Amino acid sequence: MKNSVEYILSIPQPVSHEVELTMTIRDVDDDHIDLSLPAWSPGSCKIRDYARNVVAFDANGPWQKISKDTWRIDTRRRRTLVVRYRIYAFELGVRSSHVDDSHAHLNGPSLFLYARGMKEHPVTLRFRLPRGWRIATSLDALPGKATTFTAPSYDVLTDCPIETGKFLLKSFRYRGKEHRWVIHGAGNYDVARLVRETRKIVDAAVAMFGDIPYRHYT
């Protein structure tokens, strides 16, 4: 039986530029679990140091930091592991996370710890966000749960960037699959042209590969 892994992501004070996370692992049967933040990001051939932004860490068992990006938690006599930590997120870029009073752009590898040996386990992610903020991501939402999402593995979780806040959303359907443009902030862009040109790109890709392997794309 695979362990259940759940994250709760909260942004109680956006002006602090911090993300609060709670990670829960159930059905633990090991003496200890090592939790790490990646030193990588999908599609980027560069060593990262996301762990430098961890500003607080605690667990419901004895723990120690055994390297710059790994924490070891003693889980003996505990069937459920709960870890709470905070990350400073104020770097605006395609491989980083950025939080302010208007939005949060969330890059998974910079935020989500993973348990060694459990990256293939299914994941649930729940959000607690400021009132009025929306969520855009390629993750699948649980039916009837607008703020709860799932992923079949840690790698899928971290391969789906997340935008939350007040944003512009434009979508189109191609062969029954929804494709979404999500835009934060004002800019000199033509939304209608973005949608029109993206449709051409999708059409060319499907013609080349012969299939659409996703349920929706953001």
Side-chain angles (χ1 to χ4, degrees):
M1 178 178 175
K2 285 188 174 183
N3 302 85
S4 165
V5 182
E6 178 189 70
Y7 301 90
I8 299 175
L9 188 152
S10 306
I11 305 177
Q13 296 181 310
V15 293
S16 73
H17 313 304
E18 290 185 352
V19 179
E20 296 185 0
L21 293 118
T22 301
M23 180 184 187
T24 302
I25 302 176
R26 295 181 175 86
D27 301 315
V28 174
D29 58 5
D30 296 310
D31 288 342
H32 72 268
I33 290 179
D34 290 344
L35 301 178
S36 300
L37 266 182
W40 46 263
S41 201
S44 177
C45 300
K46 180 179 179 180
I47 298 297
R48 306 283 169 173
D49 186 16
Y50 294 129
R52 75 186 188 279
N53 293 319
V54 177
V55 297
F57 183 96
D58 199 11
N60 67 336
W63 61 273
Q64 58 178 323
K65 192 173 183 180
I66 61 174
S67 71
K68 71 168 186 170
D69 54 13
T70 301
W71 293 257
R72 175 167 292 172
I73 296 93
D74 185 335
T75 55
R76 284 172 290 187
R77 298 181 297 278
R78 290 176 179 82
R79 292 285 294 169
T80 300
L81 171 65
V82 180
V83 174
R84 295 179 175 86
Y85 60 104
R86 295 201 321 272
I87 290 185
Y88 183 73
F90 198 50
E91 181 182 351
L92 192 58
V94 296
R95 308 297 175 196
S96 54
S97 292
H98 182 271
V99 177
D100 62 20
D101 60 359
S102 67
H103 86 133
H105 177 73
L106 307 171
N107 178 40
S110 70
L111 298 173
F112 299 119
L113 290 164
Y114 68 90
R116 298 290 178 90
M118 297 184 192
K119 288 178 66 180
E120 298 305 315
H121 294 202
V123 172
T124 301
L125 171 61
R126 292 196 287 139
F127 290 90
R128 293 175 180 169
L129 300 172
R131 185 184 300 274
W133 281 25
R134 295 189 293 165
I135 303 167
T137 177
S138 286
L139 295 170
D140 290 324
L142 278 180
K145 302 285 186 180
T147 59
T148 303
F149 296 79
T150 62
S153 68
Y154 179 86
D155 286 334
V156 172
L157 171 70
T158 55
D159 204 24
C160 293
I162 302 161
E163 177 70 22
T164 72
K166 300 174 182 179
F167 48 74
L168 174 66
L169 173 64
K170 292 292 182 180
S171 65
F172 66 91
R173 300 190 73 83
Y174 184 88
R175 296 193 182 180
K177 306 292 180 71
E178 186 178 17
H179 296 71
R180 301 183 288 247
W181 264 101
V182 177
I183 303 171
H184 165 70
N188 182 25
Y189 47 78
D190 182 338
V191 178
R193 184 179 178 186
L194 284 174
V195 171
R196 186 170 62 251
E197 297 300 320
T198 302
R199 187 185 292 271
K200 294 178 182 178
I201 294 171
V202 175
D203 185 57
V206 173
M208 179 181 297
F209 293 103
D211 187 22
I212 304 179
Y214 47 82
R215 287 189 287 272
H216 50 83
Y217 194 95
T218 301

